[in-house]
Amino acid sequence: MAARDVLTMQHGGAGGIVSSNAGYSGTPLWKLKQQGAIPKFNAAAEEEAAAAAAQEKAEEEENAERLRVAVDAVSFGRAESGEKPLVRHVIVKDLRKVAARSKIAIPTGGIFEGRAPVLLFALFDGQSCAEAPGPFAAEWCAKQLLPKLLRNLSALPAGYENDTFVKATLKKTFEDLDKEILAGQPAIHDGCGAAVALTVGERLFTAVCGKCQAVLCEAAPSKGNQAIYT
């Protein structure tokens, strides 16, 4: 007779209580499962999850081969004083993965078709502003850029996933940051400049505000460590 996962009174003989982890045979449920006596009802779900994970890994490797980007960031100054840094960086090497974890759907058509790799790099400089230098606006903008950009990208309707509307999305993200920090962050009195680079496949979109500069370096095809600057 099959094991039962509840407290049961035995019928016939002395009325004892059967343990919740034992069957009528007296064999614990964990041992029955180990021996294969109880089928694994979630085997199909486990196989499906494993296949999905393998597919995701294959797509990530394919994207890595299609677009190789080496990026890093460093900020000088104020390190020894213990004060907050004036410059903040944002580096997202796989925006699709971040969007999936945030349960936000980014476009799949147009220039995003074929799971084109999407990367985001940004610099917020608290020294590049009209007011006195400060760290707070740069810190706030660096934290808010990603969720606002993802929200604006997800709002692109089908058929509008092109260069023009991606540029407009970047511009709107800057406007959203500016409006919210002015209206909703009264404790922040300083400002910041910004430089943002968004890559979609082999396309590069940039947006600059204030006295910020960005330098794009492309590895030279010749041997050595030379680079081409544009």
Side-chain angles (χ1 to χ4, degrees):
M1 190 173 290
R4 300 178 63 183
D5 247 347
V6 294
L7 293 176
T8 310
M9 296 298 293
Q10 290 182 333
H11 295 280
I17 297 180
V18 178
S19 171
S20 62
N21 68 340
Y24 286 105
S25 64
T27 306
L29 287 179
W30 67 266
K31 193 169 186 64
L32 290 173
K33 292 177 181 178
Q34 187 180 60
Q35 294 173 348
I38 298 179
K40 294 178 65 178
F41 295 102
N42 61 342
E46 290 178 356
E47 291 178 1
E48 184 178 347
Q55 177 67 19
E56 182 180 356
K57 183 178 180 181
E59 291 174 350
E60 289 178 358
E61 293 176 351
E62 181 182 354
N63 288 340
E65 289 296 325
R66 291 170 59 186
L67 184 62
R68 294 183 176 273
V69 176
V71 61
D72 204 347
V74 63
S75 178
F76 297 97
R78 297 170 69 97
E80 297 179 357
S81 64
E83 299 181 56
K84 289 188 175 184
L86 294 172
V87 178
R88 297 284 181 165
H89 304 95
V90 178
I91 299 176
V92 182
K93 297 181 180 180
D94 190 344
L95 197 61
R96 288 186 179 278
K97 183 179 293 186
V98 175
R101 290 176 178 174
S102 303
K103 297 182 179 180
I104 297 177
I106 61 176
T108 56
I111 63 174
F112 296 88
E113 193 174 8
R115 289 190 61 85
V118 185
L119 299 82
L120 174 67
F121 313 107
L123 165 70
F124 294 95
D125 186 1
Q127 305 166 101
S128 304
C129 59
E131 305 296 332
F136 301 107
E139 180 183 29
W140 184 87
C141 288
K143 292 179 179 179
Q144 296 297 319
L145 171 68
L146 186 56
K148 293 187 183 302
L149 178 61
L150 285 176
R151 182 189 63 194
N152 290 333
L153 284 174
S154 68
L156 284 175
Y160 290 83
E161 312 96 331
N162 53 45
D163 295 356
T164 301
F165 282 90
V166 171
K167 292 176 184 177
T169 297
L170 270 182
K171 181 180 178 182
K172 184 180 186 307
T173 301
F174 268 54
E175 292 173 347
D176 290 345
L177 289 171
D178 189 51
K179 290 178 182 178
E180 187 167 332
I181 200 171
L182 289 174
Q185 302 296 321
I188 298 179
H189 302 288
D190 54 33
C192 69
V196 176
L198 174 70
T199 68
V200 181
E202 297 184 352
R203 290 174 166 83
L204 172 65
F205 302 91
T206 60
V208 178
C209 179
K211 298 179 180 179
C212 277
Q213 293 182 345
V215 180
L216 172 66
C217 306
E218 181 181 4
S222 58
K223 294 181 180 180
N225 296 324
Q226 298 177 348
I228 301 173
Y229 298 92
T230 51

